[in-house]
Amino acid sequence: MMNLLSKIQDWGDHHHPKWLDYLRIVLGITLIWKGVAFALNLHAFTVLMEDSGLGTAVSISLIAHLIIALHIIGGLLIALGTHTRLFCLLIIPILMVAVFYVNFPQQQIFRPYSEFWLSCLVLAGLICFLIEGDGVLSIETVRKPATSES
């Protein structure tokens, strides 16, 4: 399994066109925007917590704050091009829930994800950059030491 992941990572590092970096930056900005939208819609979580017990309310609150943090921090780091694969891997499950539960109108907690097609595109972008990685226009590329040829 690790060998397969290593092969995917190597392939992504060597086959990364520059235009994909611009898409990565747009993806990161979109994630930040959705994280802020989610934070502004915490009222739906408050309503959900009013009808539940203390343990469930704490769990719902933790999940809501985790989603917001992952979107904002992950979006920023993906846009900058650092730890892209890690944050794509962490955000993919959230987007999968958003895509598959978006059709249930009674679930108001997914209101920030009401744009079904946008959620699908973001999920596709996350999967793409999980494979492709950071790219040329990234902080990670700047950080790598230059190899000197003799």
Side-chain angles (χ1 to χ4, degrees), residues 68-87:
I68 293 166
L70 280 174
H71 273 68
I72 294 173
I73 295 168
L76 177 64
L77 294 178
I78 288 171
L80 293 174
T82 181
H83 298 80
T84 299
R85 287 187 174 112
L86 172 66
F87 279 95

Side-chain angles (χ1 to χ4, degrees), residues 9-129:
Q9 183 176 2
D10 289 342
W11 184 88
D13 289 341
H14 291 92
H15 297 86
H16 193 96
K18 199 175 204 177
W19 62 267
L20 270 180
D21 288 346
Y22 297 113
L23 286 180
R24 188 198 73 241
I25 293 167
V26 169
L27 176 67
I29 292 168
T30 303
L31 286 169
I32 294 168
W33 169 59
K34 294 308 286 180
V36 170
F38 204 91
L40 294 175
N41 193 38
L42 278 180
H43 142 287
F45 279 97
T46 306
V47 170
L48 188 63
M49 287 188 292
E50 288 173 355
D51 299 332
S52 61
L54 178 63
T56 305
V58 170
S59 298
I60 292 169
S61 178
L62 287 173
I63 290 170
H65 287 87
L66 179 66
I67 290 170
I68 293 166
L70 280 174
H71 273 68
I72 294 173
I73 295 168
L76 177 64
L77 294 178
I78 288 171
L80 293 174
T82 181
H83 298 80
T84 299
R85 287 187 174 112
L86 172 66
F87 279 95
C88 286
L89 190 62
L90 293 173
I91 298 172
I92 284 173
I94 297 169
L95 263 292
M96 289 178 76
V97 168
V99 167
F100 292 116
Y101 286 101
V102 77
N103 294 324
F104 295 103
Q106 69 273 15
Q107 296 289 341
Q108 290 298 314
I109 62 172
F110 297 112
R111 183 174 159 83
Y113 293 105
S114 61
E115 303 92 1
F116 176 72
W117 294 109
L118 178 63
S119 296
C120 289
L121 286 173
V122 171
L123 179 60
L126 289 170
I127 293 169
C128 171
F129 289 107

